[in-house]
Amino acid sequence: RIQVRYKRLLALTSYLFTHPHTQWSLTELSAALHVAKSTLSEDLLFIKGILEETGQGTVVTHVGAQGGVMFVPALDRVRASETLAAWTARLTEPDRLTADGFLYMTDLLFEPRMIEPMGELLAFPFRQQKVDVVATVETKGIPLAMACAKALGTDVVLIRRDSRLSEGSAVSINYLSGSSRRIQSMSLARRALGRESRVLFVDDFMKAGGTARAAADLLGEFGAQVVGAGVLVATREPTHKLIGKFWSLLEWDETLSTVVPSVWAKDLCAERKGDTDDRH
Amino acid sequence: RIQVRYKRLLALTSYLFTHPHTQWSLTELSAALHVAKSTLSEDLLFIKGILEETGQGTVVTHVGAQGGVMFVPALDRVRASETLAAWTARLTEPDRLTADGFLYMTDLLFEPRMIEPMGELLAFPFRQQKVDVVATVETKGIPLAMACAKALGTDVVLIRRDSRLSEGSAVSINYLSGSSRRIQSMSLARRALGRESRVLFVDDFMKAGGTARAAADLLGEFGAQVVGAGVLVATREPTHKLIGKFWSLLEWDETLSTVVPSVWAKDLCAERKGDTDDRH
């Protein structure tokens, strides 16, 4: 009998882990796992208790006709902390600087194991912000934006460098790039974003903040409210960016050639499990 | 005591689920979870049994100095099948065709819940192919390529439309686009790909196959072997593509305005759990 119960609990647990942020009615879950609803309710309560106690997340229950249960994972602080350390180590490898003084990081941005924990970490400050959608400008910020959106249980809206025939009519803006002082443009398909959306802007890199500023302006054309801007790496200089508040996971000091975790990211990883996790 | 054992099993299960395709020595796992190695071995065996019985994956053990245990998730056929159905339904919504006859699907490509199960499905035929890396051409295939790479436990290499100063020296090729007959170019940073890699090419869309053909040529310049090409949607016409064999999850018939799952994808979802899963 103990075997049977473990088996049922583990099957349910792994089901929840593979479908985070997904709401299930008890009827759906009971059909998927071949367990009676009454047993399921009891098991869910038990699992919820252990997930919270071990700081792994929680099971949220919504009652009513649209109701159901949903697994909300907590931030995996150990993994986030290890991944932050791996980023600082790999970005300070001797051959990371190109001949033109750029920090090469395209390879790391496209490694699932390197980018997913960073997306989860970047999403954390925005958990309570009712973000409708994560926006990014093509190309290199896409994996980070996807990981961030997944952690928030939402989707990504892609701002293009040129408008595309395949996306129908679009709104475009031109802007002066903050660091290179060249005229650049970005464009968003009209159908891509509903009115009055709450948007989190995510990108891989920020220097002067011109891209983030322009994206905020473009999103403003859709009546969107930008609730925040988050990047993987920001340069230390200029300290004053063209966008007000922003969150960066790593700081690159071009003069000293150092890459260090930002203070908030380090602090967040160092907090004890469950200290600040929202309990919904 | 039941509480204690379940808590331990749950911690271990969730640890394995959040680190798929990652090899751990028993020493590392025992330190991370504060559990004696002997207990751990027993627990792993127990979990392996349940994962296999419920068709959720397996725990692979490699013995020897380089050895350890690794969680290999199985293809979630139910989720893949439901997601295939959701794609066909959403791609045949009345407003999916733009005024210029393009099938708008950018929004869906950037929804984590819509794209991840598709990446897992597309990865399945290549599980035994020792894929070193997944390659894609920017931009819209990136989320699919990332999901596919994650399912294979590997990384993505990004082919650019233009070479970037920030990525150092690059190899570029020009080619004639298969459908529009325009000259296009693509470029890959020299440092992005090692010699003799086994590469899976992934993209969101294929019509004539010109992009896949050009990517294979470019990858060939690096001595890479392209073990396959996979796309989310392929047009029915032309039936003869510029690349030999390819795998598409969905087929779009432009004349009939229908989108249907491909035969192999449907068959794969319909197989009973565990029928063909590799057991390593």
Side-chain angles (χ1 to χ4, degrees):
Chain A
R1 280 186 32 83
I2 291 179
Q3 289 272 120
V4 172
R5 180 155 197 231
Y6 279 148
K7 207 177 281 185
R8 210 176 59 219
L9 287 167
L10 285 186
L12 180 55
T13 305
S14 58
Y15 203 78
L16 294 173
F17 268 87
T18 46
H19 301 81
H21 300 288
T22 308
Q23 186 163 294
W24 303 95
S25 69
L26 286 186
T27 311
E28 287 169 314
L29 272 185
S30 123
L33 296 164
H34 311 290
V35 177
K37 279 201 220 178
S38 55
T39 312
L40 200 58
S41 301
E42 196 187 309
D43 288 352
L44 281 166
L45 210 62
F46 182 79
I47 289 173
K48 176 186 164 88
I50 290 177
L51 288 174
E52 290 185 355
E53 199 183 315
T54 55
Q56 298 188 91
T58 189
V59 177
V60 181
T61 307
H62 295 282
V63 290
Q66 302 297 314
V69 294
M70 182 165 78
F71 168 55
V72 180
L75 178 64
D76 186 339
R77 292 169 202 277
V78 174
R79 191 166 71 129
S81 167
E82 287 169 358
T83 315
L84 262 187
W87 272 94
T88 59
R90 293 185 65 184
L91 285 181
T92 45
E93 286 162 353
D95 57 347
R96 280 283 157 194
L97 277 185
T98 67
D100 300 293
F102 289 95
L103 186 62
Y104 178 72
M105 54 181 201
T106 311
D107 55 340
L108 307 180
L109 292 168
F110 286 81
E111 294 186 11
R113 266 170 255 180
M114 287 294 275
I115 205 69
E116 286 200 353
M118 293 298 93
E120 286 163 23
L121 196 51
L122 194 54
F124 195 88
F126 303 100
R127 279 200 163 198
Q128 309 284 19
Q129 297 285 318
K130 298 187 194 305
V131 171
D132 293 315
V133 76
V134 172
T136 191
V137 181
E138 58 183 340
T139 303
K140 290 189 304 192
I142 291 173
L144 180 66
M146 288 296 289
C148 205
K150 189 181 175 187
L152 293 169
T154 182
D155 304 320
V156 169
V157 156
L158 179 67
I159 299 172
R160 313 300 300 255
R161 284 297 179 181
D162 311 292
S163 65
R164 300 297 169 123
L165 215 48
S166 59
E167 294 175 9
S169 71
V171 179
S172 297
I173 59 162
N174 295 312
Y175 67 102
L176 208 55
S177 151
S179 37
S180 68
R181 313 302 296 168
R182 280 181 304 133
I183 292 180
Q184 304 214 294
S185 60
M186 55 175 72
S187 170
L188 182 58
R190 284 193 192 279
R191 59 196 300 164
L193 186 63
R195 299 292 304 173
E196 316 289 332
S197 302
R198 291 176 61 83
V199 181
L200 170 63
F201 177 75
V202 168
D203 209 351
D204 58 317
F205 187 76
M206 187 186 290
K207 186 163 184 174
T211 302
R213 176 72 267 154
D217 292 343
L218 177 58
L219 292 164
E221 296 285 327
F222 288 75
Q225 189 188 340
V226 178
V227 300
V231 296
L232 186 82
V233 178
T235 53
R236 185 153 298 173
E237 299 291 340
T239 49
H240 179 77
K241 311 287 190 200
L242 294 173
I243 192 149
K245 175 132 182 77
F246 68 94
W247 303 74
S248 78
L249 293 163
L250 298 161
E251 277 180 15
W252 178 33
D253 187 321
E254 290 173 275
T255 320
L256 300 175
S257 278
T258 54
V259 177
V260 294
S262 65
V263 174
W264 74 266
K266 226 163 117 176
D267 284 354
L268 188 50
C269 290
E271 277 166 23
R272 284 215 342 272
K273 275 179 186 171
D275 267 6
T276 59
D277 265 19
D278 41 330
R279 280 288 173 253
H280 296 254
Chain B
R1 281 186 31 83
I2 291 180
Q3 289 268 125
V4 171
R5 179 157 195 228
Y6 179 70
K7 209 179 280 185
R8 210 175 61 221
L9 286 168
L10 176 73
L12 181 54
T13 305
S14 60
Y15 204 77
L16 295 173
F17 268 87
T18 45
H19 302 82
H21 300 288
T22 308
Q23 186 164 292
W24 304 95
S25 70
L26 284 187
T27 311
E28 288 169 313
L29 272 185
S30 125
L33 297 164
H34 313 289
V35 176
K37 279 201 219 177
S38 55
T39 312
L40 200 58
S41 301
E42 196 186 308
D43 288 352
L44 281 166
L45 210 61
F46 183 77
I47 289 172
K48 178 186 163 86
I50 291 177
L51 290 174
E52 289 184 355
E53 199 183 312
T54 55
Q56 297 188 92
T58 190
V59 177
V60 181
T61 308
H62 295 282
V63 290
Q66 302 296 314
V69 294
M70 182 166 79
F71 167 54
V72 180
L75 176 65
D76 186 337
R77 291 169 203 276
V78 173
R79 191 164 71 128
S81 166
E82 287 169 358
T83 315
L84 262 186
W87 273 94
T88 58
R90 292 185 65 184
L91 285 182
T92 45
E93 286 163 353
D95 57 349
R96 281 283 156 195
L97 277 185
T98 69
D100 300 293
F102 288 95
L103 186 64
Y104 178 72
M105 53 181 201
T106 312
D107 55 339
L108 308 179
L109 292 167
F110 286 80
E111 294 186 11
R113 266 169 256 179
M114 286 294 276
I115 206 69
E116 287 199 352
M118 293 298 94
E120 287 163 22
L121 196 51
L122 194 54
F124 195 87
F126 303 99
R127 278 200 162 195
Q128 310 284 18
Q129 297 284 318
K130 298 187 196 304
V131 171
D132 292 315
V133 76
V134 171
T136 190
V137 180
E138 58 182 340
T139 302
K140 291 188 304 190
I142 291 173
L144 180 66
M146 288 296 289
C148 203
K150 188 180 176 190
L152 293 169
T154 182
D155 305 321
V156 168
V157 156
L158 180 67
I159 299 172
R160 313 299 301 253
R161 284 297 179 180
D162 310 292
S163 64
R164 300 297 168 124
L165 215 48
S166 60
E167 294 175 9
S169 72
V171 179
S172 298
I173 58 162
N174 296 314
Y175 68 102
L176 208 55
S177 151
S179 36
S180 68
R181 313 301 297 169
R182 282 180 303 133
I183 292 180
Q184 305 214 293
S185 61
M186 55 173 73
S187 170
L188 183 58
R190 284 193 192 281
R191 59 197 299 165
L193 186 64
R195 298 292 305 173
E196 316 289 332
S197 301
R198 291 176 60 83
V199 181
L200 170 63
F201 177 75
V202 167
D203 208 352
D204 59 317
F205 187 76
M206 187 186 289
K207 187 164 183 173
T211 303
R213 176 73 267 152
D217 292 344
L218 177 58
L219 292 164
E221 295 287 325
F222 288 74
Q225 189 188 340
V226 178
V227 300
V231 296
L232 186 81
V233 178
T235 54
R236 186 152 296 172
E237 299 290 338
T239 48
H240 180 76
K241 312 286 191 199
L242 293 172
I243 192 149
K245 176 132 181 78
F246 67 95
W247 303 73
S248 78
L249 292 163
L250 298 161
E251 276 179 16
W252 178 32
D253 188 318
E254 289 174 276
T255 320
L256 300 175
S257 278
T258 54
V259 176
V260 293
S262 64
V263 174
W264 74 266
K266 226 163 116 177
D267 284 354
L268 189 49
C269 290
E271 275 165 25
R272 283 214 345 272
K273 276 179 185 173
D275 267 6
T276 58
D277 266 19
D278 39 331
R279 280 285 172 255
H280 296 254

